[in-house]
PDB file of all heavy atoms in Angstrom:
ATOM      1  N   ALA A  60       1.015   7.769 -13.307  1.00 98.00           N
ATOM      2  CA  ALA A  60       1.576   6.608 -14.009  1.00 98.00           C
ATOM      3  C   ALA A  60       0.652   5.412 -13.719  1.00 98.00           C
ATOM      4  O   ALA A  60       0.293   5.158 -12.599  1.00 98.00           O
ATOM      5  CB  ALA A  60       2.987   6.326 -13.506  1.00 98.00           C
ATOM      6  N   GLY A  61       0.321   4.704 -14.821  1.00 98.00           N
ATOM      7  CA  GLY A  61      -0.663   3.626 -14.720  1.00 98.00           C
ATOM      8  C   GLY A  61      -2.060   4.202 -14.828  1.00 98.00           C
ATOM      9  O   GLY A  61      -3.019   3.635 -14.269  1.00 98.00           O
ATOM     10  N   ALA A  62      -2.215   5.276 -15.622  1.00 98.00           N
ATOM     11  CA  ALA A  62      -3.459   6.044 -15.640  1.00 98.00           C
ATOM     12  C   ALA A  62      -4.664   5.259 -16.189  1.00 98.00           C
ATOM     13  O   ALA A  62      -5.785   5.620 -15.912  1.00 98.00           O
ATOM     14  CB  ALA A  62      -3.250   7.331 -16.426  1.00 98.00           C
ATOM     15  N   LYS A  63      -4.383   4.222 -17.016  1.00 97.00           N
ATOM     16  CA  LYS A  63      -5.510   3.479 -17.567  1.00 97.00           C
ATOM     17  C   LYS A  63      -5.895   2.299 -16.684  1.00 97.00           C
ATOM     18  O   LYS A  63      -6.869   1.571 -16.976  1.00 97.00           O
ATOM     19  CB  LYS A  63      -5.169   2.941 -18.974  1.00 97.00           C
ATOM     20  CG  LYS A  63      -5.115   4.015 -19.993  1.00 97.00           C
ATOM     21  CD  LYS A  63      -4.910   3.354 -21.368  1.00 97.00           C
ATOM     22  CE  LYS A  63      -4.581   4.411 -22.419  1.00 97.00           C
ATOM     23  NZ  LYS A  63      -3.798   3.857 -23.523  1.00 97.00           N
ATOM     24  N   GLY A  64      -5.170   2.063 -15.623  1.00 96.00           N
ATOM     25  CA  GLY A  64      -5.439   0.926 -14.744  1.00 96.00           C
ATOM     26  C   GLY A  64      -6.648   1.219 -13.856  1.00 96.00           C
ATOM     27  O   GLY A  64      -7.229   2.299 -13.887  1.00 96.00           O
ATOM     28  N   ARG A  65      -7.003   0.202 -13.051  1.00 94.00           N
ATOM     29  CA  ARG A  65      -8.181   0.333 -12.151  1.00 94.00           C
ATOM     30  C   ARG A  65      -7.967   1.526 -11.194  1.00 94.00           C
ATOM     31  O   ARG A  65      -8.831   2.391 -11.031  1.00 94.00           O
ATOM     32  CB  ARG A  65      -8.399  -0.956 -11.378  1.00 94.00           C
ATOM     33  CG  ARG A  65      -8.928  -2.083 -12.228  1.00 94.00           C
ATOM     34  CD  ARG A  65      -9.056  -3.367 -11.435  1.00 94.00           C
ATOM     35  NE  ARG A  65      -7.756  -3.951 -11.141  1.00 94.00           N
ATOM     36  CZ  ARG A  65      -7.164  -4.880 -11.881  1.00 94.00           C
ATOM     37  NH1 ARG A  65      -7.789  -5.367 -12.924  1.00 94.00           N
ATOM     38  NH2 ARG A  65      -5.968  -5.383 -11.562  1.00 94.00           N
ATOM     39  N   MET A  66      -6.826   1.565 -10.543  1.00 96.00           N
ATOM     40  CA  MET A  66      -6.567   2.668  -9.577  1.00 96.00           C
ATOM     41  C   MET A  66      -6.272   3.950 -10.321  1.00 96.00           C
ATOM     42  O   MET A  66      -6.752   5.016  -9.941  1.00 96.00           O
ATOM     43  CB  MET A  66      -5.395   2.283  -8.664  1.00 96.00           C
ATOM     44  CG  MET A  66      -5.751   1.367  -7.524  1.00 96.00           C
ATOM     45  SD  MET A  66      -7.064   1.990  -6.499  1.00 96.00           S
ATOM     46  CE  MET A  66      -6.346   3.477  -5.902  1.00 96.00           C
ATOM     47  N   GLY A  67      -5.430   3.875 -11.366  1.00 98.00           N
ATOM     48  CA  GLY A  67      -5.064   5.075 -12.123  1.00 98.00           C
ATOM     49  C   GLY A  67      -6.253   5.819 -12.641  1.00 98.00           C
ATOM     50  O   GLY A  67      -6.291   7.044 -12.688  1.00 98.00           O
ATOM     51  N   VAL A  86       0.362   8.510 -17.944  1.00 97.00           N
ATOM     52  CA  VAL A  86       1.409   7.620 -18.500  1.00 97.00           C
ATOM     53  C   VAL A  86       0.952   6.191 -18.350  1.00 97.00           C
ATOM     54  O   VAL A  86       0.430   5.771 -17.315  1.00 97.00           O
ATOM     55  CB  VAL A  86       2.741   7.812 -17.702  1.00 97.00           C
ATOM     56  CG1 VAL A  86       3.823   6.964 -18.346  1.00 97.00           C
ATOM     57  CG2 VAL A  86       3.121   9.264 -17.679  1.00 97.00           C
ATOM     58  N   ASP A  87       1.158   5.392 -19.407  1.00 96.00           N
ATOM     59  CA  ASP A  87       0.817   3.972 -19.315  1.00 96.00           C
ATOM     60  C   ASP A  87       1.888   3.142 -20.001  1.00 96.00           C
ATOM     61  O   ASP A  87       2.884   3.663 -20.483  1.00 96.00           O
ATOM     62  CB  ASP A  87      -0.576   3.727 -19.964  1.00 96.00           C
ATOM     63  CG  ASP A  87      -1.635   3.525 -18.888  1.00 96.00           C
ATOM     64  OD1 ASP A  87      -1.560   2.504 -18.211  1.00 96.00           O
ATOM     65  OD2 ASP A  87      -2.450   4.419 -18.699  1.00 96.00           O
ATOM     66  N   LEU A  88       1.682   1.831 -19.977  1.00 94.00           N
ATOM     67  CA  LEU A  88       2.646   0.920 -20.571  1.00 94.00           C
ATOM     68  C   LEU A  88       2.926   1.352 -22.040  1.00 94.00           C
ATOM     69  O   LEU A  88       1.980   1.588 -22.782  1.00 94.00           O
ATOM     70  CB  LEU A  88       2.115  -0.513 -20.546  1.00 94.00           C
ATOM     71  CG  LEU A  88       3.061  -1.622 -20.890  1.00 94.00           C
ATOM     72  CD1 LEU A  88       4.244  -1.667 -19.918  1.00 94.00           C
ATOM     73  CD2 LEU A  88       2.356  -2.953 -20.857  1.00 94.00           C
ATOM     74  N   GLY A  89       4.192   1.454 -22.391  1.00 94.00           N
ATOM     75  CA  GLY A  89       4.542   1.843 -23.759  1.00 94.00           C
ATOM     76  C   GLY A  89       4.860   3.324 -23.898  1.00 94.00           C
ATOM     77  O   GLY A  89       5.477   3.763 -24.852  1.00 94.00           O
ATOM     78  N   ASP A  90       4.430   4.136 -22.935  1.00 97.00           N
ATOM     79  CA  ASP A  90       4.755   5.576 -22.956  1.00 97.00           C
ATOM     80  C   ASP A  90       6.181   5.794 -22.433  1.00 97.00           C
ATOM     81  O   ASP A  90       6.667   5.000 -21.640  1.00 97.00           O
ATOM     82  CB  ASP A  90       3.756   6.380 -22.116  1.00 97.00           C
ATOM     83  CG  ASP A  90       2.365   6.318 -22.668  1.00 97.00           C
ATOM     84  OD1 ASP A  90       2.217   6.186 -23.890  1.00 97.00           O
ATOM     85  OD2 ASP A  90       1.422   6.441 -21.850  1.00 97.00           O
ATOM     86  N   PHE A 107       0.715   4.085  -9.783  1.00 98.00           N
ATOM     87  CA  PHE A 107      -0.170   2.920  -9.578  1.00 98.00           C
ATOM     88  C   PHE A 107       0.016   2.002 -10.777  1.00 98.00           C
ATOM     89  O   PHE A 107      -0.820   2.016 -11.687  1.00 98.00           O
ATOM     90  CB  PHE A 107      -1.616   3.329  -9.432  1.00 98.00           C
ATOM     91  CG  PHE A 107      -2.047   3.701  -8.055  1.00 98.00           C
ATOM     92  CD1 PHE A 107      -2.222   5.061  -7.701  1.00 98.00           C
ATOM     93  CD2 PHE A 107      -2.254   2.748  -7.059  1.00 98.00           C
ATOM     94  CE1 PHE A 107      -2.584   5.427  -6.423  1.00 98.00           C
ATOM     95  CE2 PHE A 107      -2.613   3.115  -5.777  1.00 98.00           C
ATOM     96  CZ  PHE A 107      -2.795   4.458  -5.440  1.00 98.00           C
ATOM     97  N   THR A 108       1.127   1.207 -10.833  1.00 97.00           N
ATOM     98  CA  THR A 108       1.330   0.350 -12.000  1.00 97.00           C
ATOM     99  C   THR A 108       1.403  -1.121 -11.565  1.00 97.00           C
ATOM    100  O   THR A 108       0.386  -1.683 -11.153  1.00 97.00           O
ATOM    101  CB  THR A 108       2.593   0.785 -12.743  1.00 97.00           C
ATOM    102  OG1 THR A 108       3.740   0.657 -11.904  1.00 97.00           O
ATOM    103  CG2 THR A 108       2.490   2.218 -13.283  1.00 97.00           C
ATOM    104  N   THR A 109       2.574  -1.718 -11.634  1.00 96.00           N
ATOM    105  CA  THR A 109       2.722  -3.139 -11.312  1.00 96.00           C
ATOM    106  C   THR A 109       3.943  -3.304 -10.417  1.00 96.00           C
ATOM    107  O   THR A 109       4.873  -2.509 -10.453  1.00 96.00           O
ATOM    108  CB  THR A 109       2.919  -3.972 -12.590  1.00 96.00           C
ATOM    109  OG1 THR A 109       4.172  -3.616 -13.175  1.00 96.00           O
ATOM    110  CG2 THR A 109       1.814  -3.750 -13.611  1.00 96.00           C
ATOM    111  N   PRO A 110       3.995  -4.434  -9.635  1.00 94.00           N
ATOM    112  CA  PRO A 110       5.121  -4.685  -8.802  1.00 94.00           C
ATOM    113  C   PRO A 110       6.475  -4.731  -9.560  1.00 94.00           C
ATOM    114  O   PRO A 110       7.511  -4.394  -9.000  1.00 94.00           O
ATOM    115  CB  PRO A 110       4.800  -6.052  -8.166  1.00 94.00           C
ATOM    116  CG  PRO A 110       3.312  -6.142  -8.204  1.00 94.00           C
ATOM    117  CD  PRO A 110       2.914  -5.408  -9.470  1.00 94.00           C
ATOM    118  N   THR A 112       7.264  -2.889 -12.160  1.00 96.00           N
ATOM    119  CA  THR A 112       7.575  -1.598 -12.754  1.00 96.00           C
ATOM    120  C   THR A 112       7.824  -0.507 -11.730  1.00 96.00           C
ATOM    121  O   THR A 112       8.519   0.470 -12.003  1.00 96.00           O
ATOM    122  CB  THR A 112       6.357  -1.135 -13.624  1.00 96.00           C
ATOM    123  OG1 THR A 112       5.986  -2.187 -14.441  1.00 96.00           O
ATOM    124  CG2 THR A 112       6.683   0.086 -14.437  1.00 96.00           C
ATOM    125  N   ASN A 116       9.953   3.152 -12.265  1.00 98.00           N
ATOM    126  CA  ASN A 116       9.187   4.400 -12.455  1.00 98.00           C
ATOM    127  C   ASN A 116       9.444   5.396 -11.326  1.00 98.00           C
ATOM    128  O   ASN A 116       9.659   6.585 -11.576  1.00 98.00           O
ATOM    129  CB  ASN A 116       7.666   4.085 -12.467  1.00 98.00           C
ATOM    130  CG  ASN A 116       7.192   3.608 -13.837  1.00 98.00           C
ATOM    131  OD1 ASN A 116       7.943   3.548 -14.780  1.00 98.00           O
ATOM    132  ND2 ASN A 116       5.925   3.277 -13.903  1.00 98.00           N
ATOM    133  N   VAL A 129       3.473   6.797  -4.119  1.00 98.00           N
ATOM    134  CA  VAL A 129       3.484   5.421  -4.625  1.00 98.00           C
ATOM    135  C   VAL A 129       2.392   4.580  -3.980  1.00 98.00           C
ATOM    136  O   VAL A 129       2.425   4.401  -2.741  1.00 98.00           O
ATOM    137  CB  VAL A 129       4.868   4.759  -4.406  1.00 98.00           C
ATOM    138  CG1 VAL A 129       4.876   3.351  -4.985  1.00 98.00           C
ATOM    139  CG2 VAL A 129       5.973   5.616  -5.022  1.00 98.00           C
ATOM    140  N   GLY A 130       1.485   4.013  -4.777  1.00 97.00           N
ATOM    141  CA  GLY A 130       0.472   3.120  -4.247  1.00 97.00           C
ATOM    142  C   GLY A 130       0.724   1.685  -4.584  1.00 97.00           C
ATOM    143  O   GLY A 130       0.204   0.780  -3.947  1.00 97.00           O
ATOM    144  N   THR A 131       1.541   1.454  -5.622  1.00 96.00           N
ATOM    145  CA  THR A 131       1.832   0.082  -6.061  1.00 96.00           C
ATOM    146  C   THR A 131       2.582  -0.655  -4.984  1.00 96.00           C
ATOM    147  O   THR A 131       3.533  -0.119  -4.383  1.00 96.00           O
ATOM    148  CB  THR A 131       2.687   0.145  -7.337  1.00 96.00           C
ATOM    149  OG1 THR A 131       2.125   1.045  -8.254  1.00 96.00           O
ATOM    150  CG2 THR A 131       2.776  -1.255  -7.980  1.00 96.00           C
ATOM    151  N   THR A 132       2.184  -1.883  -4.725  1.00 89.00           N
ATOM    152  CA  THR A 132       2.859  -2.664  -3.681  1.00 89.00           C
ATOM    153  C   THR A 132       3.983  -3.478  -4.331  1.00 89.00           C
ATOM    154  O   THR A 132       4.040  -3.612  -5.542  1.00 89.00           O
ATOM    155  CB  THR A 132       1.864  -3.599  -2.978  1.00 89.00           C
ATOM    156  OG1 THR A 132       1.098  -4.310  -3.943  1.00 89.00           O
ATOM    157  CG2 THR A 132       0.920  -2.797  -2.120  1.00 89.00           C
ATOM    158  N   ALA A 156       2.692   4.071   0.242  1.00 94.00           N
ATOM    159  CA  ALA A 156       1.592   3.693   1.160  1.00 94.00           C
ATOM    160  C   ALA A 156       0.918   2.448   0.617  1.00 94.00           C
ATOM    161  O   ALA A 156       0.350   2.438  -0.483  1.00 94.00           O
ATOM    162  CB  ALA A 156       0.606   4.832   1.295  1.00 94.00           C
ATOM    163  N   PRO A 157       0.981   1.338   1.354  1.00 88.00           N
ATOM    164  CA  PRO A 157       0.279   0.131   0.882  1.00 88.00           C
ATOM    165  C   PRO A 157      -1.219   0.274   0.891  1.00 88.00           C
ATOM    166  O   PRO A 157      -1.916  -0.482   0.242  1.00 88.00           O
ATOM    167  CB  PRO A 157       0.730  -0.939   1.851  1.00 88.00           C
ATOM    168  CG  PRO A 157       1.219  -0.234   3.072  1.00 88.00           C
ATOM    169  CD  PRO A 157       1.708   1.106   2.616  1.00 88.00           C
ATOM    170  N   ASN A 158      -1.712   1.274   1.621  1.00 90.00           N
ATOM    171  CA  ASN A 158      -3.181   1.471   1.622  1.00 90.00           C
ATOM    172  C   ASN A 158      -3.498   2.921   1.850  1.00 90.00           C
ATOM    173  O   ASN A 158      -3.088   3.498   2.863  1.00 90.00           O
ATOM    174  CB  ASN A 158      -3.823   0.592   2.688  1.00 90.00           C
ATOM    175  CG  ASN A 158      -5.264   0.307   2.365  1.00 90.00           C
ATOM    176  OD1 ASN A 158      -6.007   1.229   2.021  1.00 90.00           O
ATOM    177  ND2 ASN A 158      -5.678  -0.935   2.418  1.00 90.00           N
ATOM    178  N   PHE A 159      -4.237   3.532   0.928  1.00 95.00           N
ATOM    179  CA  PHE A 159      -4.570   4.955   1.037  1.00 95.00           C
ATOM    180  C   PHE A 159      -5.915   5.180   1.647  1.00 95.00           C
ATOM    181  O   PHE A 159      -6.379   6.322   1.733  1.00 95.00           O
ATOM    182  CB  PHE A 159      -4.519   5.636  -0.349  1.00 95.00           C
ATOM    183  CG  PHE A 159      -3.131   5.977  -0.783  1.00 95.00           C
ATOM    184  CD1 PHE A 159      -2.421   5.153  -1.628  1.00 95.00           C
ATOM    185  CD2 PHE A 159      -2.509   7.104  -0.310  1.00 95.00           C
ATOM    186  CE1 PHE A 159      -1.120   5.463  -2.045  1.00 95.00           C
ATOM    187  CE2 PHE A 159      -1.243   7.442  -0.702  1.00 95.00           C
ATOM    188  CZ  PHE A 159      -0.523   6.616  -1.546  1.00 95.00           C
ATOM    189  N   SER A 160      -6.613   4.132   2.100  1.00 95.00           N
ATOM    190  CA  SER A 160      -7.915   4.358   2.729  1.00 95.00           C
ATOM    191  C   SER A 160      -7.726   4.649   4.224  1.00 95.00           C
ATOM    192  O   SER A 160      -6.941   4.004   4.903  1.00 95.00           O
ATOM    193  CB  SER A 160      -8.866   3.196   2.495  1.00 95.00           C
ATOM    194  OG  SER A 160      -8.803   2.297   3.577  1.00 95.00           O
ATOM    195  N   HIS A 187      -9.599  -9.017  -5.278  1.00 95.00           N
ATOM    196  CA  HIS A 187     -10.076  -9.475  -6.549  1.00 95.00           C
ATOM    197  C   HIS A 187      -9.079 -10.462  -7.213  1.00 95.00           C
ATOM    198  O   HIS A 187      -7.885 -10.429  -6.867  1.00 95.00           O
ATOM    199  CB  HIS A 187     -10.338  -8.292  -7.460  1.00 95.00           C
ATOM    200  CG  HIS A 187      -9.132  -7.414  -7.650  1.00 95.00           C
ATOM    201  ND1 HIS A 187      -8.179  -7.636  -8.621  1.00 95.00           N
ATOM    202  CD2 HIS A 187      -8.688  -6.322  -6.947  1.00 95.00           C
ATOM    203  CE1 HIS A 187      -7.238  -6.738  -8.540  1.00 95.00           C
ATOM    204  NE2 HIS A 187      -7.514  -5.938  -7.527  1.00 95.00           N
ATOM    205  N   LYS A 190      -5.450  -9.435  -8.810  1.00 93.00           N
ATOM    206  CA  LYS A 190      -4.339  -8.869  -8.038  1.00 93.00           C
ATOM    207  C   LYS A 190      -3.086  -9.726  -8.283  1.00 93.00           C
ATOM    208  O   LYS A 190      -3.141 -10.943  -8.211  1.00 93.00           O
ATOM    209  CB  LYS A 190      -4.679  -8.813  -6.560  1.00 93.00           C
ATOM    210  CG  LYS A 190      -3.541  -8.201  -5.720  1.00 93.00           C
ATOM    211  CD  LYS A 190      -4.016  -7.826  -4.326  1.00 93.00           C
ATOM    212  CE  LYS A 190      -2.867  -7.318  -3.457  1.00 93.00           C
ATOM    213  NZ  LYS A 190      -2.187  -6.147  -3.988  1.00 93.00           N
ATOM    214  N   LEU A 191      -1.949  -9.076  -8.523  1.00 89.00           N
ATOM    215  CA  LEU A 191      -0.749  -9.788  -8.956  1.00 89.00           C
ATOM    216  C   LEU A 191       0.051 -10.370  -7.795  1.00 89.00           C
ATOM    217  O   LEU A 191       0.724 -11.372  -7.925  1.00 89.00           O
ATOM    218  CB  LEU A 191       0.165  -8.875  -9.780  1.00 89.00           C
ATOM    219  CG  LEU A 191      -0.424  -8.387 -11.125  1.00 89.00           C
ATOM    220  CD1 LEU A 191       0.524  -7.427 -11.827  1.00 89.00           C
ATOM    221  CD2 LEU A 191      -0.723  -9.577 -12.044  1.00 89.00           C
ATOM    222  N   ASP A 192       0.081  -9.686  -6.651  1.00 90.00           N
ATOM    223  CA  ASP A 192       0.980 -10.112  -5.563  1.00 90.00           C
ATOM    224  C   ASP A 192       0.181 -10.619  -4.354  1.00 90.00           C
ATOM    225  O   ASP A 192      -0.943 -10.222  -4.111  1.00 90.00           O
ATOM    226  CB  ASP A 192       1.917  -8.970  -5.145  1.00 90.00           C
ATOM    227  CG  ASP A 192       1.174  -7.667  -4.801  1.00 90.00           C
ATOM    228  OD1 ASP A 192       0.049  -7.497  -5.328  1.00 90.00           O
ATOM    229  OD2 ASP A 192       1.699  -6.873  -4.009  1.00 90.00           O
ATOM    230  N   ARG A 267     -13.190   1.661  -5.213  1.00 92.00           N
ATOM    231  CA  ARG A 267     -11.812   2.255  -5.199  1.00 92.00           C
ATOM    232  C   ARG A 267     -11.838   3.741  -4.892  1.00 92.00           C
ATOM    233  O   ARG A 267     -10.788   4.355  -4.659  1.00 92.00           O
ATOM    234  CB  ARG A 267     -11.119   1.979  -6.547  1.00 92.00           C
ATOM    235  CG  ARG A 267     -10.754   0.502  -6.680  1.00 92.00           C
ATOM    236  CD  ARG A 267     -10.018   0.166  -7.939  1.00 92.00           C
ATOM    237  NE  ARG A 267      -9.712  -1.259  -7.964  1.00 92.00           N
ATOM    238  CZ  ARG A 267     -10.561  -2.220  -8.299  1.00 92.00           C
ATOM    239  NH1 ARG A 267     -11.783  -1.894  -8.735  1.00 92.00           N
ATOM    240  NH2 ARG A 267     -10.206  -3.482  -8.266  1.00 92.00           N
ATOM    241  N   PHE A 270      -9.877   5.120  -1.861  1.00 95.00           N
ATOM    242  CA  PHE A 270      -8.445   5.459  -1.821  1.00 95.00           C
ATOM    243  C   PHE A 270      -8.171   6.892  -2.253  1.00 95.00           C
ATOM    244  O   PHE A 270      -7.092   7.407  -2.005  1.00 95.00           O
ATOM    245  CB  PHE A 270      -7.669   4.530  -2.760  1.00 95.00           C
ATOM    246  CG  PHE A 270      -7.830   3.053  -2.399  1.00 95.00           C
ATOM    247  CD1 PHE A 270      -8.437   2.184  -3.281  1.00 95.00           C
ATOM    248  CD2 PHE A 270      -7.355   2.571  -1.216  1.00 95.00           C
ATOM    249  CE1 PHE A 270      -8.590   0.814  -2.962  1.00 95.00           C
ATOM    250  CE2 PHE A 270      -7.470   1.205  -0.888  1.00 95.00           C
ATOM    251  CZ  PHE A 270      -8.078   0.337  -1.759  1.00 95.00           C
TER     252      PHE A 270
HETATM  253  P1  NAP B 203      -4.073  -2.429 -12.920  1.00 68.88           P
HETATM  254  O1  NAP B 203      -5.536  -2.185 -13.176  1.00 68.88           O
HETATM  255  O2  NAP B 203      -3.451  -3.643 -13.535  1.00 68.88           O
HETATM  256  O3  NAP B 203      -3.323  -1.103 -13.414  1.00 68.88           O
HETATM  257  C1  NAP B 203      -1.959  -1.052 -13.625  1.00 68.88           C
HETATM  258  C2  NAP B 203      -1.755  -0.102 -14.815  1.00 68.88           C
HETATM  259  O4  NAP B 203      -0.361   0.163 -14.965  1.00 68.88           O
HETATM  260  C3  NAP B 203      -2.226  -0.709 -16.139  1.00 68.88           C
HETATM  261  O5  NAP B 203      -2.920   0.262 -16.873  1.00 68.88           O
HETATM  262  C4  NAP B 203      -0.886  -1.074 -16.815  1.00 68.88           C
HETATM  263  O6  NAP B 203      -0.971  -1.039 -18.222  1.00 68.88           O
HETATM  264  C5  NAP B 203      -0.011   0.075 -16.325  1.00 68.88           C
HETATM  265  N1  NAP B 203       1.405  -0.205 -16.503  1.00 68.88           N
HETATM  266  C6  NAP B 203       2.052  -1.384 -16.566  1.00 68.88           C
HETATM  267  N2  NAP B 203       3.367  -1.166 -16.716  1.00 68.88           N
HETATM  268  C7  NAP B 203       3.556   0.182 -16.785  1.00 68.88           C
HETATM  269  C8  NAP B 203       4.681   1.024 -17.012  1.00 68.88           C
HETATM  270  N3  NAP B 203       5.893   0.505 -17.204  1.00 68.88           N
HETATM  271  N4  NAP B 203       4.507   2.368 -16.979  1.00 68.88           N
HETATM  272  C9  NAP B 203       3.291   2.890 -16.819  1.00 68.88           C
HETATM  273  N5  NAP B 203       2.162   2.167 -16.641  1.00 68.88           N
HETATM  274  C10 NAP B 203       2.305   0.823 -16.641  1.00 68.88           C
HETATM  275  O7  NAP B 203      -3.776  -2.476 -11.352  1.00 68.88           O
HETATM  276  P2  NAP B 203      -4.552  -1.661 -10.162  1.00 68.88           P
HETATM  277  O8  NAP B 203      -5.620  -2.514  -9.630  1.00 68.88           O
HETATM  278  O9  NAP B 203      -4.839  -0.282 -10.639  1.00 68.88           O
HETATM  279  O10 NAP B 203      -3.400  -1.670  -9.065  1.00 68.88           O
HETATM  280  C11 NAP B 203      -2.152  -1.067  -9.306  1.00 68.88           C
HETATM  281  C12 NAP B 203      -1.274  -1.286  -8.087  1.00 68.88           C
HETATM  282  O11 NAP B 203      -1.790  -0.531  -6.982  1.00 68.88           O
HETATM  283  C13 NAP B 203      -1.197  -2.737  -7.580  1.00 68.88           C
HETATM  284  O12 NAP B 203       0.116  -3.006  -7.098  1.00 68.88           O
HETATM  285  C14 NAP B 203      -2.165  -2.786  -6.434  1.00 68.88           C
HETATM  286  O13 NAP B 203      -1.839  -3.781  -5.499  1.00 68.88           O
HETATM  287  C15 NAP B 203      -1.962  -1.386  -5.875  1.00 68.88           C
HETATM  288  N6  NAP B 203      -3.055  -0.832  -5.074  1.00 68.88           N
HETATM  289  C16 NAP B 203      -2.705  -0.039  -4.042  1.00 68.88           C
HETATM  290  C17 NAP B 203      -3.668   0.582  -3.286  1.00 68.88           C
HETATM  291  C18 NAP B 203      -3.263   1.523  -2.169  1.00 68.88           C
HETATM  292  O14 NAP B 203      -4.110   2.063  -1.480  1.00 68.88           O
HETATM  293  N7  NAP B 203      -1.950   1.750  -1.967  1.00 68.88           N
HETATM  294  C19 NAP B 203      -5.013   0.370  -3.574  1.00 68.88           C
HETATM  295  C20 NAP B 203      -5.353  -0.463  -4.640  1.00 68.88           C
HETATM  296  C21 NAP B 203      -4.362  -1.043  -5.376  1.00 68.88           C
HETATM  297  P3  NAP B 203      -1.372  -2.442 -19.003  1.00 68.88           P
HETATM  298  O15 NAP B 203      -2.741  -2.793 -18.541  1.00 68.88           O
HETATM  299  O16 NAP B 203      -1.312  -2.049 -20.432  1.00 68.88           O
HETATM  300  O17 NAP B 203      -0.346  -3.468 -18.588  1.00 68.88           O
END
Side-chain angles (χ1 to χ4, degrees):
K63 287 187 193 155
R65 290 177 286 265
M66 281 304 298
V86 184
D87 256 291
L88 190 62
D90 294 332
F107 274 104
T108 61
T109 66
T112 311
N116 278 358
V129 181
T131 313
T132 49
N158 204 312
F159 279 99
S160 94
H187 56 87
K190 182 166 175 59
L191 296 177
D192 53 334
R267 290 182 179 81
F270 301 116

